[in-house]
Amino acid sequence: MTVEELLQLPTIKGLKLISGNLGVHREISTVTVVDTPDGFQWLKGNEVVITTTYALEKTPNAFLDFISKLLSRNISALIVKSDRYIKVIPENAKKLCDEKALPLIYCPAIYAFTDIINPTLSGIISKQAEQLKESSKIHESFLELAINDRSIHQILQTLSTLIQEPTAYVDTVFHKVYFSENVSEDSLYLKGLSYEIILNEYREKYQCIDVVNKEQKFGYIMLLSDRTYPDTDSNIYKTAIEYASIVIILRMQIRISNRMIEEKYYSSFVGDLMLNNVKTREEINTRAHLYGWNLDGGGFVAIIDINNIKKYYLRNLDTGTNEKLQKYTDQIFDTSIKYIKQAFPSTIYYSQSDFIAFLITGKLPVSARKTLADTFSQIQHSLLNAVPFTISMGVGMYVDDIINIHNSYQQAKQVIQTVYQIQQFNRLFFYDQIGIYRLLFSISSNNEAIEFCDKYVKPLQQYDDQHHANLIETLQSIINCGWNLKLASEKLFLHYNSVKYRFQKICDLLEIDLRDNSRHTEIELALKIYLIQKNQI
């Protein structure tokens, strides 16, 4: 029950609002009489206080001080029987009540306390009964929605009917916006806007209520009211919105679980294609049909790799760090999926801990290279300053038949391995751009290549394993720096003498004087082949 409703009770029409008009919306919990100097101490809040001012000192500011104390207890209204002990309400008291929006009400002497208390308590009880009835109606409405697996649109429609306001739900998980049917003309234009625009530009315009379960946020309900200040503090509003949020959370959790199950099988199928675990075209067509995919033509594979994140995982094994890294990984993958699917809508993908592989299907357009380059730039720009890692993209060759897509996948993997070899991260490379590495990949598993590596690299590997040294890493840096030891020491952040010592140890173990330029080519090739064999993504 509100103060305004109290003033409208037919049995106490003689009550008159003196000041504090803006507070008539205040809710009333009970009615009490305060006629002792310290009576305010027992107030709990939201009471209507009745007083005769009998206990107040006869000083100019006594009534003002009394009101200040009542305000500190968050009362809803003050009713003053002012005909007996206080003849005139002081102007400063009226002004204070106006400033604090505290209804100050004159009560004629003809009313006994019970004349006010009884109808007010009766009104409160009646109001509570109505609210309980309405709450029960709300509960039953949303219980039916939950049990019968109703859609988010139907949940919004029920909410809008109950609170008599148009509503929308902004789904921040699946990036969609839903509207109730009774959207007003003033907000009808929202239906034509994209999710991103509504998310970024319209949250401040409308009142929004987060739909959140513990720490997981699913989105928010927007109240598309024509009124500037909808009565969202009322119990009906609160109860309806609370139940709507609960049912939306249940619906979202089911959708998220279904997506996770679907993505598990979805990713498993794409992984089987790329790893050549699907041997017949019939199996491809059958499994593709389950997801509504058309894999009749060809395609190619593009891999986005998170540079050096595996090393970061190995060096930081505490739970907090790994949770943060997983968050970065998810952000990189989600951003990559968003932009690549914008450019190539039929794309499907397969992810691992530190890379995501995209199978881009259909006939390859001539402009595909430029489209990929533009898309990669968009992804980089979106991730800039958002994650502490760079990314690289490796693209395999187009194949005419999807049954051979594993070849394009292997080529894309080889491009990423080459990126690590040449240490040129944060770039896009196509398979036909990696030059001699294409030849090295093709021979890296031959017996001759293995023997070649054993001769020039195995002694260094064994020394590193036994002494926890870094001779191979040092040799790689020296080679990358054009065999310039001073420059290599700067790249490795080591003293020049330390690099000289390691260089000599490498020469001794290989029994080769590497100051002789004629042996450099053999060592460089051996190390490239070794790293190809070792650094499988």
Side-chain angles (χ1 to χ4, degrees):
M1 184 177 187
T2 66
V3 176
E4 185 176 26
E5 290 169 330
L6 180 150
L7 292 170
Q8 292 172 355
L9 291 175
T11 58
I12 48 177
K13 283 187 175 181
L15 296 183
K16 180 181 178 183
L17 184 64
I18 299 172
S19 63
N21 304 47
L22 294 179
V24 294
H25 65 280
R26 290 174 181 253
E27 291 283 339
I28 303 170
S29 63
T30 187
V31 186
T32 188
V33 176
V34 175
D35 249 352
T36 60
D38 58 352
F40 71 92
Q41 296 183 46
W42 289 275
L43 297 174
K44 301 295 184 182
N46 297 113
E47 296 98 338
V48 168
V49 173
I50 307 174
T51 185
T52 64
T53 72
Y54 169 76
L56 297 183
E57 298 177 4
K58 302 301 183 284
T59 61
N61 290 322
F63 190 61
L64 187 68
D65 293 340
F66 179 65
I67 292 176
S68 297
K69 290 174 181 177
L70 295 178
L71 283 167
S72 70
R73 309 305 290 186
N74 193 34
I75 69 167
S76 293
L78 175 62
I79 298 177
V80 182
K81 293 174 70 69
S82 60
D83 292 334
R84 186 172 181 185
Y85 298 105
I86 184 169
K87 303 299 182 182
V88 178
I89 303 294
E91 290 301 321
N92 58 0
K94 294 180 183 179
K95 183 178 179 183
L96 177 61
C97 289
D98 279 332
E99 290 175 355
K100 301 298 183 181
L102 175 67
L104 181 59
I105 302 169
Y106 161 75
C107 175
I110 60 170
Y111 289 133
F113 289 153
T114 55
D115 292 335
I116 301 170
I117 293 172
N118 289 344
T120 303
L121 291 178
S122 177
I124 291 171
I125 293 169
S126 176
K127 188 77 172 181
Q128 288 175 340
E130 289 179 15
Q131 290 178 346
L132 285 172
K133 184 178 179 181
E134 194 66 31
S135 294
S136 177
K137 176 184 175 183
I138 292 169
H139 172 78
E140 291 174 3
S141 298
F142 285 107
L143 182 62
E144 187 274 332
L145 292 171
I147 291 173
N148 293 294
D149 195 25
R150 302 300 185 188
S151 67
I152 289 177
H153 176 78
Q154 290 171 306
I155 296 169
L156 287 179
Q157 194 57 38
T158 299
L159 173 62
S160 295
T161 300
L162 289 168
I163 66 175
Q164 295 298 302
E165 299 290 353
T167 59
Y169 171 62
V170 180
D171 175 358
T172 56
V173 177
F174 295 96
H175 299 175
K176 296 183 70 176
V177 183
Y178 304 84
F179 295 91
S180 60
E181 292 178 2
N182 58 334
V183 176
S184 64
E185 291 185 7
D186 289 342
S187 52
L188 191 62
Y189 68 96
L190 288 170
K191 287 190 172 184
L193 300 179
S194 68
Y195 162 81
E196 286 79 9
I197 291 176
I198 293 174
L199 180 72
N200 297 321
E201 300 181 17
Y202 285 88
R203 178 149 194 176
E204 300 301 322
K205 181 173 180 180
Y206 297 100
Q207 183 157 358
C208 299
I209 299 95
D210 287 337
V211 176
V212 59
N213 181 20
K214 294 183 179 179
E215 295 181 357
Q216 185 177 9
K217 183 175 178 181
F218 300 93
Y220 53 88
I221 294 170
M222 296 175 68
L223 304 179
L224 308 178
S225 175
D226 293 332
R227 291 179 289 165
T228 307
Y229 300 104
D231 189 17
T232 52
D233 287 333
S234 74
N235 288 331
I236 299 303
Y237 253 92
K238 287 181 178 178
T239 303
I241 291 171
E242 180 180 339
Y243 274 103
S245 297
I246 291 170
V247 180
I248 287 175
I249 288 171
L250 291 173
R251 192 64 56 248
M252 292 295 293
Q253 287 176 328
I254 292 171
R255 292 182 63 196
I256 290 169
S257 296
N258 289 342
R259 184 178 72 170
M260 290 175 66
I261 293 169
E262 184 177 316
E263 284 188 349
K264 177 182 176 182
Y265 290 101
Y266 162 111
S267 184
S268 174
F269 174 44
V270 180
D272 284 344
L273 282 173
M274 295 187 179
L275 297 172
N276 198 25
N277 292 331
V278 185
K279 302 299 183 182
T280 66
R281 191 168 286 99
E282 182 181 4
E283 182 182 355
I284 291 175
N285 292 336
T286 300
R287 292 176 69 178
H289 180 71
L290 293 174
Y291 303 106
W293 299 340
N294 181 4
L295 300 180
D296 291 338
F300 65 96
V301 173
I303 290 177
I304 289 185
D305 175 80
I306 307 174
N307 302 146
N308 291 313
I309 197 170
K310 277 186 177 177
K311 288 185 179 180
Y312 203 88
Y313 266 113
L314 293 174
R315 293 173 186 169
N316 299 273
L317 298 178
D318 63 280
T319 303
T321 300
N322 283 344
E323 286 179 357
K324 188 179 293 186
L325 289 172
Q326 187 60 55
K327 180 181 176 182
Y328 291 141
T329 299
D330 292 342
Q331 187 171 359
I332 291 170
F333 287 177
D334 289 345
T335 302
S336 301
I337 292 167
K338 171 186 172 182
Y339 285 104
I340 289 183
K341 286 189 76 69
Q342 282 180 2
F344 303 95
S346 61
T347 297
I348 54 181
Y349 53 87
Y350 156 75
S351 62
Q352 290 293 293
S353 61
D354 59 340
F355 75 91
I356 181 167
F358 294 92
L359 195 171
I360 300 173
T361 59
K363 189 174 180 180
L364 183 66
V366 176
S367 60
R369 283 190 177 234
K370 184 180 185 307
T371 303
L372 276 172
D374 292 342
T375 303
F376 185 62
S377 295
Q378 287 179 311
I379 296 170
Q380 286 178 307
H381 180 74
S382 180
L383 295 174
L384 188 65
N385 301 322
V387 298
F389 295 100
T390 59
I391 58 171
S392 299
M393 178 185 279
V395 184
M397 301 290 285
Y398 180 82
V399 295
D400 292 326
D401 192 329
I402 209 71
I403 202 168
N404 297 318
I405 199 65
H406 60 279
N407 293 326
S408 183
Y409 173 65
Q410 289 299 325
Q411 292 166 354
K413 285 176 63 178
Q414 291 171 7
V415 174
I416 297 298
Q417 286 178 256
T418 303
V419 166
Y420 281 86
Q421 289 251 21
I422 62 179
Q423 296 288 296
Q424 292 192 32
F425 301 115
N426 209 27
R427 293 180 59 185
L428 163 65
F429 288 96
F430 293 88
Y431 181 68
D432 59 10
Q433 293 177 325
I434 61 174
I436 192 174
Y437 283 96
R438 293 176 60 175
L439 172 63
L440 296 180
F441 280 112
S442 67
I443 65 169
S444 62
S445 58
N446 293 348
N447 289 334
E448 293 84 353
I450 294 171
E451 291 174 3
F452 190 60
C453 285
D454 286 346
K455 177 180 178 181
Y456 290 112
V457 183
K458 192 173 183 179
L460 306 183
Q461 179 189 0
Q462 291 174 338
Y463 185 88
D464 281 348
D465 293 342
Q466 293 171 8
H467 298 86
H468 304 289
N470 295 291
L471 295 185
I472 291 179
E473 181 184 357
T474 303
L475 179 59
Q476 177 69 68
S477 184
I478 291 171
I479 291 173
N480 290 343
C481 294
W483 295 88
N484 185 317
L485 301 190
K486 188 173 187 308
L487 184 57
S489 67
E490 293 173 1
K491 294 288 185 182
L492 292 168
F493 301 102
L494 292 172
H495 193 278
Y496 176 60
N497 289 339
S498 297
V499 174
K500 280 180 62 179
Y501 171 80
R502 292 185 184 184
F503 181 71
Q504 187 56 52
K505 176 60 71 174
I506 292 169
C507 292
D508 293 343
L509 290 170
L510 298 181
E511 299 179 354
I512 298 173
D513 182 3
L514 292 177
R515 285 177 288 270
D516 180 0
N517 296 346
S518 64
R519 308 303 296 273
H520 287 181
T521 301
E522 295 172 58
I523 298 297
E524 290 179 21
L525 284 173
L527 189 58
K528 282 182 171 63
I529 294 172
Y530 165 78
L531 292 174
I532 287 173
Q533 296 168 348
K534 179 175 180 292
N535 294 327
Q536 298 294 320
I537 66 170

